[in-house]
Amino acid sequence: MSIADRVLGAPWLARDEPGLARETLDALFENRIPCIRVRGFATPEECRAFVAAMDAVGLNKEYQVASASVRSVPKYIGVPQFEYRKKSKDAYFAEVESSYADQAQVFAHCGFDPVQRLIDRVHAVVPELPIGIAHEPEYGRDYAGIIRETTGGTNLHMDFARFSAPDYAIGANSAQVATNFYASGPAAGGETTVYNHHFEPTVPAGTYYEISPLDPARVAASESYTFAPAPGDLVMFNSRNPHRVHLNPNDDGTRRMGIGSFIGRRPEGDLVLWS
């Protein structure tokens, strides 16, 4: 695709990081605001316990990314669908249950389940909508809850299952948001920049489209918003927008640790999670 994308939508209506409510969740799915911040999603004690659990269990995989904007390769526990976007469903689902077993060790060690807490918080504001882990016919549940360290930053990319997983059930979702709970992070650096650049690829419906890395020139003229990680907070943003995590320039040893999931909205309105 050329850099001249067919961009959808309009400027964001507000930039004040509102809390989670029915109205703000709708606005985020519809890309009318840049993000939602759930302040105090976890206590300081829970954050310290989560980081200790990550270290005790061990991050046993690495993202396959290479970019000048990435100083160190992010490590994680889980099965990011992104890493299997060019592999078979069989390969992806062969890793799901063993990765849930690793995740369960972390949750048992730290004493709480951030994924279930997220589901409960969202359900509380939209109680009429079914919400749960995404399910793939003939395979079973998707993986939700990537436990990771992203201290070294990420490249510019976007996440939208219609483009990256068109042959999965999640590929039918009409909208998608990313959620990130931060258990630790630097006092400066490690911010995430989101670009208001919803676009429609010029490829046939149901066709795979490469979501990473994206050329920064594509978003050079786009509205943007940068939010900082704060330990204990959970931040949500519309992941169809290109975005990147900045590295910690101070190299002071502070790590950006946490867990992330996507929430997709299906055409009938149901909400599903995966990573």
Side-chain angles (χ1 to χ4, degrees):
M1 179 189 289
S2 69
I3 288 177
D5 296 324
R6 184 167 71 85
V7 181
L8 311 176
W12 288 316
L13 299 179
R15 303 162 66 87
D16 57 353
E17 299 191 4
L20 177 62
R22 176 189 300 273
E23 296 77 14
T24 59
L25 186 61
D26 283 343
L28 193 63
F29 273 124
E30 295 166 8
N31 195 40
R32 292 187 277 116
I33 57 175
C35 70
I36 289 170
R37 185 180 292 269
V38 182
R39 294 167 175 82
F41 180 80
T43 67
E45 292 76 16
E46 288 174 327
C47 289
R48 288 191 290 271
F50 193 81
V51 172
M54 291 174 68
D55 289 336
V57 176
L59 305 182
N60 52 21
K61 299 176 184 176
E62 292 185 345
Y63 280 101
Q64 301 303 304
V65 296
S67 170
S69 64
V70 180
R71 184 169 58 194
S72 59
V73 177
K75 296 180 173 61
Y76 66 92
I77 289 171
V79 195
Q81 197 280 327
F82 167 83
E83 292 288 279
Y84 289 79
R85 66 196 187 281
K86 297 180 181 179
K87 301 178 183 179
S88 68
K89 286 185 186 179
D90 289 340
Y92 171 81
F93 284 98
E95 299 291 330
V96 167
E97 293 308 320
S98 61
S99 294
Y100 269 126
D102 293 338
Q103 182 193 76
Q105 290 186 60
V106 174
F107 294 172
H109 195 287
C110 71
F112 76 106
D113 180 340
V115 176
Q116 187 58 51
R117 184 174 294 182
L118 172 62
I119 290 173
D120 293 343
R121 292 288 184 91
V122 173
H123 181 67
V125 301
V126 284
E128 75 283 4
L129 294 181
I131 178 171
I133 306 301
H135 181 273
E136 185 70 20
E138 301 181 13
Y139 285 91
R141 60 177 177 169
D142 293 39
Y143 181 87
I146 297 293
I147 300 167
R148 60 194 173 191
E149 177 187 351
T150 53
T151 308
T154 70
N155 56 31
L156 181 68
H157 66 286
M158 66 176 180
D159 298 287
F160 191 40
R162 188 200 302 170
F163 303 159
S164 61
D167 56 335
Y168 283 65
I170 54 175
N173 294 339
S174 59
Q176 180 174 329
V177 302
T179 72
N180 287 288
F181 157 58
Y182 303 104
S184 67
E191 299 91 350
T192 296
T193 297
V194 183
Y195 296 88
N196 188 357
H197 193 89
H198 266 217
F199 68 89
E200 194 67 38
T202 54
V203 297
T207 301
Y208 171 80
Y209 178 80
E210 183 56 75
I211 60 173
S212 177
L214 297 177
D215 185 345
R218 298 175 74 156
V219 298
S222 299
E223 177 184 21
S224 67
Y225 184 79
T226 298
F227 63 83
D233 288 359
L234 179 138
V235 179
M236 309 167 71
F237 63 91
N238 192 303
S239 61
R240 183 173 175 176
N241 286 319
H243 53 279
R244 64 175 291 245
V245 178
H246 302 271
L247 56 82
N248 177 8
N250 299 320
D251 197 22
D252 60 3
T254 304
R255 297 177 296 168
R256 187 180 187 270
M257 311 279 272
I259 183 169
S261 298
F262 297 118
I263 303 177
R265 185 168 66 183
R266 297 187 57 76
E268 64 274 19
D270 295 6
L271 303 179
V272 295
L273 280 77
W274 77 100
S275 292

